[in-house]
Amino acid sequence: MIAVESLKFEIRLAEGRKVATVSSRKSPDMPKKTKTNVSRRGFIYGVGGGVLGPAVLDRAALAEPQPGTGRFTGPDAVPVSLSVNGKTHKLTLEPRVTLLDALRDQLDLTGAKAACDRGTCGSCTVLMNGKVVYACSVLAIDAQGKSIETIESITPEDPLIQAMARNDGTQCGFCSPGMVLAAKAFLARNPHPDEAQVESCLGGNLCRCGTYVPIRKAILEVARVGKGGRNA
Ligand code: FES
Ligand code: FES
């Protein structure tokens, strides 16, 4: 039989920051209790570091009380300011509200579609500071201070929209807003792609109708005329 006389371990976040030291000691001259400087919330965050990964830890870090105030953000609604398609919107949202829900339910910008709602299909694609993001996987409070572009910012005269129409690059159209925005961000980075690059640029956007070939054709057509998908 092995008798454990004392036990001491530390809980650290992924980046190495120590969040807790937990120790216990079996000794007649010490009180028989576990001593810890970790709260229940801190313990959950610490253990979460091992299994949930950096993204969740970032959220956990945001949930720490604000220095000096001891107050947490939420769960009640808080003021949120979003810059969407060049316009600033002042909203009052619970911190758990996603950017997708804020766009669709609060701003009536319904171009970004809610499909899987778990960062898998790309139907909710928007641009944040010019980069493609899944709006269903970004909290609205985290989108503050960023420039958000939705499909509503693209005009019907846009070369990419025109090319999509010419090439029958849409069937039900559910994936089209996300496809167009993903393609625009891609062409801005890579104005003269080859076919394989176009195929990989759409890797994060699923088309349930399987319209991939005409969509790729439309993107290549825009690239060929050298406008990189920008508004004419
Ligand atoms: S709805 Fe956001 S990725 Fe599918
Ligand atoms: S056109 Fe229907 S999902 Fe793509």
Side-chain angles (χ1 to χ4, degrees):
M1 189 177 109
I2 299 172
V4 178
E5 292 298 319
S6 67
L7 179 65
K8 182 174 180 178
F9 63 92
E10 293 176 354
I11 300 171
R12 289 179 179 271
L13 298 178
E15 76 268 23
R17 183 158 63 88
K18 188 171 83 173
V19 294
T21 301
V22 179
S23 62
S24 66
R25 189 178 174 89
K26 188 183 172 189
S27 165
D29 52 1
M30 282 191 75
K32 240 183 172 184
K33 71 174 186 182
T34 299
K35 234 186 161 188
T36 172
N37 63 357
V38 63
S39 65
R40 184 184 308 192
R41 178 184 292 270
F43 180 77
I44 290 167
Y45 292 162
V47 172
V51 294
L52 299 180
V56 175
L57 285 171
D58 280 345
R59 293 301 316 133
L62 283 175
E64 293 291 344
Q66 292 161 17
T69 68
R71 292 214 310 266
F72 290 84
T73 301
D76 294 334
V78 293
V80 173
S81 173
L82 293 178
S83 169
V84 184
N85 300 334
K87 201 168 154 200
T88 301
H89 299 271
K90 304 275 182 203
L91 303 172
T92 304
L93 301 173
E94 290 178 19
R96 67 187 175 88
V97 172
T98 64
L99 177 59
L100 179 63
D101 286 345
L103 291 171
R104 293 179 58 84
D105 300 343
Q106 306 290 323
L107 302 179
D108 206 22
L109 295 172
T110 54
K113 303 297 181 216
C116 70
D117 211 16
R118 59 189 60 201
T120 303
C121 72
S123 296
C124 61
T125 296
V126 299
L127 303 185
M128 191 149 80
N129 286 350
K131 291 194 177 145
V132 168
V133 297
Y134 292 159
C136 71
S137 304
V138 175
L139 291 175
I141 53 169
D142 289 341
Q144 294 184 100
K146 316 264 171 60
S147 168
I148 313 294
E149 287 171 71
T150 70
I151 193 67
E152 285 85 356
S153 68
I154 312 283
T155 66
E157 294 75 36
D158 185 279
L160 193 50
I161 301 287
Q162 296 285 317
M164 289 275 278
R166 258 196 316 278
N167 289 281
D168 289 332
T170 185
Q171 289 189 56
C172 76
F174 204 74
C175 71
S176 306
M179 289 283 186
V180 168
L181 288 171
K184 288 190 83 63
F186 168 71
L187 287 171
R189 284 196 317 275
N190 188 351
H192 304 293
D194 59 29
E195 202 165 341
Q197 289 171 321
V198 169
E199 187 172 343
S200 85
C201 107
L202 300 179
N205 293 73
L206 302 183
C207 175
R208 291 146 185 88
C209 303
T211 323
Y212 296 106
V213 172
I215 294 172
R216 284 179 213 147
K217 221 171 139 195
I219 297 171
L220 283 167
E221 195 176 289
V222 172
R224 257 199 309 277
V225 300
K227 290 185 177 168
R230 294 180 189 287
N231 279 328

